[in-house]
Amino acid sequence: MNQVADQWLDYECIDAGNGEKLERWKDIILRRPDPQVIWPVDTEDSLWKNPHAHYHRSKSGGGHWEYKKKFKESWTISFKELRFKVSPTGFKHTGLFPEQAANWDFMMKKIKDSKRDDIRVLNLFAYTGGATMACAAAGASEVVHVDASKGMVSWAKENMVLSHLEDKKIRFIVDDVLKFVQREKRRGRTYHAIIMDPPSYGRGPNGEVWKLEEQLYPLISACMEILDEDPLFFLVNSYTTGFPPTVLHNLLNSTVLKKHPNGYLETGEIGLPITKSHTILPCGIYGRWVKK
């Protein structure tokens, strides 16, 4: 089952080809590299040639933005009732992954439809808080937002204010995710929904090394110790190139579904519609355990 984030008004993938994508973020046009875009561009029109900014990847790693038109350092875009700060960063990112709106819609619907008053959500590798804000806005009684980057957690707090969610119970934690999960087990804390969006490689706040292929299974297994006896959903998202959805299916089958057979699994690709070609831009994979 594939998911496409096709409910945006403030974001649009206009075109993609030759290793790059052309995007509209509200009224700002950005041209950024994308390693999965291996097909050609039909024609490079004026938007391709004159975006507001163009990120050039360096052969030695990293890269830089070429600014062609003046615009604010940061601006705000909306997805339904949510609002987020967008700003080009030194690593080509903008502080938001728009394809994740497909997951936000899923989370919000599950929380709203559950009719439960007490839903505790844990968001691991939470970045700038797209999923955090979605769950809080949908009515979760508590959302715990964990990320190793102090800067990203600060950005998430800004998104909370932009989305007018200051009155919601959101806990922001700067920590290594596995260490946090292990501490929550010792505290006897449980969650009705757990979300994780792990990188291929990363480091915790104290230099802890994260390698997806080595540590994803131990992390999911540790999460089983703090997943409530009556869970709502468990979601894993991955951008790792060459990591097929079947891997997530097998991981969730041997962990979450094994412990909670009253649910079912969904796995597949997640993507964005490309306006010009009417095709889909692949943006990683997802796996979900969902209560029946």
Side-chain angles (χ1 to χ4, degrees):
M1 179 183 290
N2 294 335
Q3 299 291 317
V4 179
D6 57 4
Q7 298 298 305
W8 279 99
L9 297 177
D10 279 1
Y11 172 85
E12 176 187 10
C13 182
I14 301 168
D15 199 4
N18 295 336
E20 294 183 298
K21 54 191 174 186
L22 187 69
E23 305 166 293
R24 175 181 63 82
W25 298 81
K26 203 165 188 178
D27 54 357
I28 304 297
I29 307 299
L30 300 180
R31 180 173 174 172
R32 298 192 293 159
D34 190 311
Q36 299 206 76
V37 180
I38 63 173
W39 55 90
V41 175
D42 288 339
T43 54
E44 283 202 3
D45 56 22
S46 59
L47 284 179
W48 273 108
K49 294 175 181 177
N50 292 292
H52 286 81
H54 182 186
Y55 189 89
H56 298 276
R57 188 183 294 279
S58 169
K59 292 181 180 179
S60 59
H64 70 280
W65 286 97
E66 175 190 5
Y67 293 95
K68 294 173 176 275
K69 300 176 184 178
K70 287 186 178 181
F71 60 96
K72 292 182 179 180
E73 182 180 327
S74 66
W75 63 101
T76 302
I77 70 170
S78 299
F79 179 77
K80 298 181 179 179
E81 67 261 51
L82 305 174
R83 291 170 63 81
F84 302 104
K85 184 184 90 168
V86 172
S87 180
T89 70
F91 297 96
K92 86 172 181 177
H93 297 305
T94 62
L96 197 66
F97 293 98
E99 67 277 0
Q100 288 305 309
N103 280 327
W104 305 339
D105 275 336
F106 160 79
M107 298 169 199
M108 295 178 82
K109 186 176 189 314
K110 287 298 175 185
I111 292 171
K112 289 177 180 178
D113 289 352
S114 73
K115 308 295 184 184
R116 297 187 190 180
D117 294 327
D118 184 23
I119 297 178
R120 297 181 299 278
V121 180
L122 176 61
N123 187 11
L124 303 174
F125 307 99
Y127 195 50
T128 60
T132 296
M133 306 314 149
C135 292
S141 58
E142 179 183 15
V143 184
V144 178
H145 174 112
V146 185
D147 197 277
S149 168
K150 186 177 180 179
M152 292 301 104
V153 171
S154 295
W155 195 328
K157 292 178 181 178
E158 292 183 67
N159 286 335
M160 175 185 66
V161 174
L162 288 171
S163 291
H164 306 294
L165 295 170
E166 302 96 317
D167 62 331
K168 302 295 183 180
K169 188 175 181 181
I170 303 174
R171 293 172 57 210
F172 294 98
I173 310 290
V174 178
D175 203 350
D176 174 78
V177 295
L178 181 57
K179 288 182 178 179
F180 179 80
V181 168
Q182 291 169 338
R183 280 202 302 275
E184 290 293 83
K185 178 189 175 183
R186 293 195 292 272
R187 294 177 184 128
R189 293 260 301 166
T190 63
Y191 295 88
H192 301 96
I194 298 179
I195 306 155
M196 63 177 72
D197 195 351
S200 301
Y201 179 86
R203 288 188 179 274
N206 297 312
E208 302 91 342
V209 176
W210 166 270
K211 291 183 179 179
L212 183 77
E213 66 276 13
E214 295 178 6
Q215 291 173 276
L216 184 56
Y217 176 74
L219 176 60
I220 294 175
S221 297
C223 285
M224 292 302 95
E225 301 294 327
I226 62 170
L227 187 63
D228 194 83
E229 291 181 0
D230 186 20
L232 191 59
F233 63 83
F234 191 102
L235 189 149
V236 183
N237 193 80
S238 174
Y239 295 94
T240 302
T241 304
F243 209 60
T246 306
V247 172
L248 289 186
H249 183 279
N250 292 344
L251 282 171
L252 296 176
N253 184 69
S254 62
T255 51
V256 196
L257 190 61
K258 184 178 180 179
K259 189 171 183 178
H260 299 279
N262 62 326
Y264 61 93
L265 300 182
E266 293 180 353
T267 56
E269 293 185 1
I270 195 164
L272 288 162
I274 303 173
T275 301
K276 190 171 182 180
S277 61
H278 303 288
T279 54
I280 302 300
L281 176 67
C283 302
I285 61 174
Y286 75 95
R288 304 169 181 163
W289 175 95
V290 187
K291 183 182 178 181
K292 290 180 181 176

